[in-house]
C-alpha cells in the first residue's frame, strides 16, 4: 500500500485565495492517488492561525463537501511558524510523509509530485528551493540575499532560497517535534534534524490573491528571530568590540600623556563629546543585543504552549 501524505497549509486571512488553493491541491492529490504515488487516505490539512476574516468558515464548508480537506483552528494568532508546527504535530500521528506549503500559491504546487518521487528514492527531507527571485521587488530580493549571507557567516546551517516549502518523512517530523523551544525558526531547525535530504528547484510565482502577511516589520522580526535563535556570535562581537575600543583608548591615553609632556595640548570639547556619544551608542547597542537574548531566555523558561488548538475537523 502507498504511503499516506498530508499537505499542511497554514492560513491567516486567506479567504480570497483559499478556494483556488484548495482546488489546486485537491486536483494534485487526486492525481497522485490515481498514479499510486500516495495512499487513498492522504489528506490536506488547513490550519487557521486565528484569522479575522472568513478563512475558517471556508475551511468548514470545504470539509463538508471535499473528503480530502481537514481543518485545524488555533485559539488565537500564534504566528506562521507555530501554526505550521501545530499542523505537523497533529498530522504526523496518521501520515507517513508531510508536505508544508503556504496558502498564497506562490510556491509551485506541482513540485509536490517531485517531492514525493524523491521521498520514494529514500530521502527523508526534500527542500523546495527557488531557482530565482524575479517575482520579488529589488528591495526584498537584496535584503533576502543579505540575510542568507549573514546567517552563513554567523555559522547557521540554512538552505539558500528555501522558505517553508518542503517534504518531511514521518520520522523526520517526529525528530523535529523533539525540539521543544518556544522561539521557532523552522528554516534553521529542519537542517538540524539530519537524515538524508535533497532539493527540488522551482520558479516562484506572484501571489494569486490577497496581500502579503510579511511586511517589512515582520520580515525584520523574523530575521532577528533566526539570528538570535541559532548564533551567539553577536554576543562575541560585543566582546571583541569592547576589547578593540579598550585598546584604542589605551593608545589615546598614551598620546594624551605624551602631548602633555611636550606641552602641545589643545583645550577643546568636540572630541570629548563625540567620544561620549560614540561609546554611549555602542553601549546601548550592546545592551540591546544582550536584551534580545535575555528576552528569549525569559520566553523559554516559562514553558508556555506554542499553540492551543480550538477545533479540529
Amino acid at each position: 500500500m502507498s504511503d499516506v501524505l498530508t499537505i499542511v497549509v497554514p492560513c491567516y486571512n486567506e479567504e480570497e485565495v483559499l478556494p483556488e488553493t484548495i482546488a489546486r491541491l485537491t486536483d494534485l492529490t487526486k492525481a497522485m492517488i490515481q498514479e499510486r504515488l500516495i495512499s487513498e487516505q492522504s489528506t490536506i490539512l488547513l490550519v487557521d492561525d486565528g484569522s479575522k476574516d472568513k478563512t475558517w468558515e471556508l475551511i468548514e464548508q470545504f470539509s463538508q463537501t471535499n473528503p480530502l480537506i481537514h481543518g485545524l483552528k488555533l485559539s488565537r494568532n500564534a504566528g506562521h511558524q507555530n501554526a505550521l508546527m501545530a499542523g505537523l504535530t497533529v498530522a504526523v500521528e496518521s501520515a507517513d510523509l508531510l508536505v508544508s506549503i503556504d496558502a498564497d500559491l506562490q510556491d509551485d504546487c506541482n513540485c509536490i509530485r517531485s517531492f514525493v518521487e524523491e521521498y520514494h528514492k529514500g530521502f527523508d527531507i526534500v527542500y523546495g528551493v527557488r531557482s530565482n527571485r524575479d517575482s520579488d521587488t529589488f528591495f526584498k530580493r537584496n535584503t533576502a540575499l543579505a540575510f542568507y549571507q549573514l546567517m552563513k557567516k554567523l555559522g547557521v546551517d540554512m538552505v539558500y532560497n528555501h522558505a517553508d516549502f518542503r517534504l518531511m518523512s514521518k520520522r523526520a517530523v517526529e525528530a523535529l517535534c523533539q525540539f521543544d523551544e518556544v522561539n521557532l525558526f523552522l528554516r534553521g531547525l529542519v537542517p538540524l534534524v539530519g537524515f538524508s535530504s535533497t532539493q527540488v528547484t522551482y520558479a516562484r510565482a506572484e501571489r494569486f490573491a490577497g496581500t502579503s502577511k510579511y511586511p517589512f516589520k515582520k520580515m525584520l522580526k523574523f530575521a532577528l528571530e533566526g539570528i538570535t535563535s541559532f548564533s551567539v556570535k553577536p554576543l562575541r562581537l560585543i566582546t571583541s568590540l569592547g576589547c578593540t575600543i579598550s585598546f584604542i583608548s589605551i593608545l589615546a591615553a598614551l598620546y594624551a600623556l605624551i602631548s602633555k609632556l611636550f606641552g602641545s595640548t589643545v583645550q577643546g570639547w568636540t572630541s570629548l563629546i563625540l567620544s561620549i556619544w560614540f561609546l554611549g551608542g555602542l553601549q546601548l547597542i550592546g545592551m540591546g543585543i544582550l536584551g534580545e537574548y535575555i528576552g528569549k531566555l525569559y520566553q523559554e523558561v516559562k514553558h508556555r504552549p506554542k499553540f492551543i488548538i480550538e477545533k479540529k475537523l
Side-chain angles (χ1 to χ4, degrees):
M1 184 177 178
S2 300
D3 294 322
V4 177
L5 166 69
T6 296
I7 302 175
V8 179
V9 188
C11 308
Y12 179 66
N13 294 342
E14 300 287 4
E15 63 175 357
E16 295 181 46
V17 72
L18 200 55
E20 181 66 21
T21 301
I22 291 174
R24 293 191 190 183
L25 291 177
T26 297
D27 291 342
L28 176 65
T29 304
K30 288 180 177 179
M32 288 192 294
I33 291 174
Q34 291 178 351
E35 296 167 16
R36 298 185 180 276
L37 281 175
I38 57 176
S39 168
E40 295 179 355
Q41 304 302 316
S42 298
T43 58
I44 301 167
L45 177 61
L46 303 168
V47 183
D48 178 25
D49 185 23
S51 298
K52 299 176 181 179
D53 60 3
K54 297 180 180 179
T55 295
W56 180 248
E57 294 177 23
L58 288 172
I59 294 174
E60 287 183 315
Q61 293 172 12
F62 279 103
S63 68
Q64 294 173 2
T65 57
N66 187 340
L68 291 174
I69 300 300
H70 290 206
L72 194 68
K73 179 177 173 59
L74 303 187
S75 61
R76 63 177 182 84
N77 178 240
H80 178 271
Q81 300 289 278
N82 287 323
L84 180 52
M85 196 65 200
L88 293 174
T89 303
V90 171
V92 74
E93 298 175 3
S94 57
D96 299 303
L97 60 155
L98 303 93
V99 170
S100 57
I101 184 173
D102 290 340
D104 56 17
L105 293 178
Q106 287 189 275
D107 298 318
D108 188 359
C109 299
N110 294 318
C111 279
I112 296 177
R113 179 183 278 102
S114 300
F115 287 1
V116 175
E117 291 172 350
E118 294 297 326
Y119 165 81
H120 286 305
K121 293 178 183 178
F123 292 102
D124 285 279
I125 303 173
V126 184
Y127 298 101
V129 178
R130 298 176 61 172
S131 58
N132 58 68
R133 285 188 168 269
D134 294 340
S135 61
D136 289 346
T137 62
F138 175 83
F139 176 78
K140 187 173 182 180
R141 182 166 56 251
N142 285 277
T143 52
L145 176 62
F147 171 68
Y148 281 108
Q149 291 178 340
L150 176 61
M151 294 295 279
K152 184 177 181 180
K153 290 181 179 179
L154 292 175
V156 182
D157 183 18
M158 283 179 57
V159 178
Y160 182 68
N161 270 346
H162 164 71
D164 288 303
F165 183 33
R166 68 178 75 88
L167 176 147
M168 299 181 71
S169 66
K170 185 182 186 71
R171 69 169 183 166
V173 174
E174 289 175 340
L176 179 64
C177 291
Q178 295 178 34
F179 290 86
D180 198 30
E181 53 201 77
V182 173
N183 301 285
L184 287 177
F185 185 71
L186 294 177
R187 300 181 198 185
L189 282 178
V190 173
L192 292 180
V193 170
F195 298 131
S196 57
S197 65
T198 188
Q199 300 179 8
V200 172
T201 58
Y202 68 98
R204 202 162 195 249
E206 297 284 350
R207 167 179 271 272
F208 181 82
T211 58
S212 173
K213 305 306 182 294
Y214 265 91
F216 177 72
K217 185 178 179 180
K218 275 194 173 182
M219 287 172 58
L220 183 60
K221 181 180 178 182
F222 188 65
L224 289 174
E225 188 79 41
I227 293 170
T228 54
S229 293
F230 285 89
S231 178
V232 295
K233 285 190 177 181
L235 295 175
R236 294 172 182 167
L237 180 62
I238 297 175
T239 304
S240 301
L241 191 59
C243 293
T244 302
I245 292 175
S246 297
F247 179 72
I248 294 173
S249 65
I250 292 173
L251 295 179
L254 291 174
Y255 173 77
L257 179 61
I258 294 172
S259 299
K260 181 70 175 177
L261 292 175
F262 284 92
S264 60
T265 55
V266 178
Q267 298 296 326
W269 58 271
T270 304
S271 58
L272 178 63
I273 294 298
L274 289 176
S275 298
I276 292 174
W277 278 88
F278 177 68
L279 292 175
L282 290 180
Q283 289 173 345
L284 289 174
I285 292 172
M287 290 173 62
I289 295 174
L290 287 171
E292 188 71 27
Y293 281 92
I294 293 171
K296 286 191 176 297
L297 289 173
Y298 172 69
Q299 292 176 335
E300 293 290 345
V301 298
K302 290 186 292 186
H303 295 294
R304 289 178 178 173
K306 293 186 282 291
F307 53 83
I308 297 175
I309 298 173
E310 181 178 338
K311 292 180 182 180
K312 286 184 183 180
L313 297 177

